[in-house]
């Protein structure tokens, strides 16, 4: 099933959903010590493998992290080749000095914001659809 590409429709249909818990980004040279079921996201970079885990799991493994975030899923099924969604979301959050880290997956975009900004980010994202 193809995702939506029309930016106006995407924005009206964002339906942001806050996932429970706190999440952290870490970078490792080797992720073999982490059970696959505990990894939310991984991406290989030249400097190391970026991994997103729950804060709880990172603490359990004694991993160091600097940024504690909330995870917001944009539940609209966006196409991977949709143009402007990430920019529109980032621009809206920028107006309130909220940084965001965006992970685009096959069906949805996922926004990670500092835990201190969670409520405001949910409000800003909800305004796209008038909620």
């Amino acid at each position: 099933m193809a995702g939506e590409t029309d930016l106006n429709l995407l924005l009206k249909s964002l339906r942001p959903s806050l996932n429970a818990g706190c999440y952290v980004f870490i970078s490792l040279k080797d992720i073999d010590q982490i059970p696959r079921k505990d990894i939310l996201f991984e991406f290989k970079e030249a400097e190391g493998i970026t991994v997103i885990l729950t804060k709880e799991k990172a603490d359990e493994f004694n991993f160091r992290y600097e940024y504690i975030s909330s995870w917001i899923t944009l539940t609209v099924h966006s196409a991977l080749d949709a143009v402007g969604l990430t920019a529109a979301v980032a621009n809206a959050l920028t107006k309130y000095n909220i940084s965001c880290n965006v992970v685009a997956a096959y069906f949805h975009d996922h926004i990670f914001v500092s835990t201190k900004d969670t409520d405001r980010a949910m409000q800003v994202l909800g305004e796209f659809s008038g909620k």
Side-chain angles (χ1 to χ4, degrees):
M1 182 167 103
E4 182 58 56
T5 58
D6 181 274
L7 181 58
N8 289 325
L9 188 54
L10 283 167
L11 293 174
K12 289 177 186 173
S13 306
L14 278 185
R15 295 185 326 273
S17 176
L18 180 62
N19 296 280
C22 294
Y23 299 85
V24 298
F25 290 64
I26 61 171
S27 180
L28 302 168
K29 295 293 181 194
D30 176 19
I31 62 170
D32 289 340
Q33 73 268 28
I34 306 172
R36 188 85 187 147
K37 66 180 177 56
D38 293 332
I39 298 173
L40 177 63
F41 167 86
E42 73 180 70
F43 194 88
K44 295 176 185 174
E45 298 181 284
E47 300 84 356
I49 303 168
T50 296
V51 177
I52 302 175
L53 302 169
T54 63
K55 180 183 175 300
E56 178 181 82
K57 282 295 177 185
D59 290 342
E60 185 180 310
F61 292 122
N62 291 314
F63 291 136
R64 292 181 45 185
Y65 49 83
E66 299 172 11
Y67 177 75
I68 302 172
S69 62
S70 294
W71 168 24
I72 302 168
T73 298
L74 305 181
T75 61
V76 63
H77 180 188
S78 56
L80 290 169
D81 61 348
V83 176
L85 179 60
T86 301
V89 166
N91 285 333
L93 293 172
T94 296
K95 291 177 185 175
Y96 296 93
N97 202 35
I98 299 172
S99 73
C100 66
N101 294 281
V102 180
V103 173
Y106 189 85
F107 291 100
H108 307 287
D109 289 276
H110 305 273
I111 313 298
F112 292 85
V113 299
S114 176
T115 53
K116 69 179 176 48
D117 295 321
T118 304
D119 292 339
R120 187 67 176 138
M122 287 295 290
Q123 180 182 0
V124 169
L125 296 173
E127 289 173 2
F128 281 110
S129 57
K131 295 181 181 179

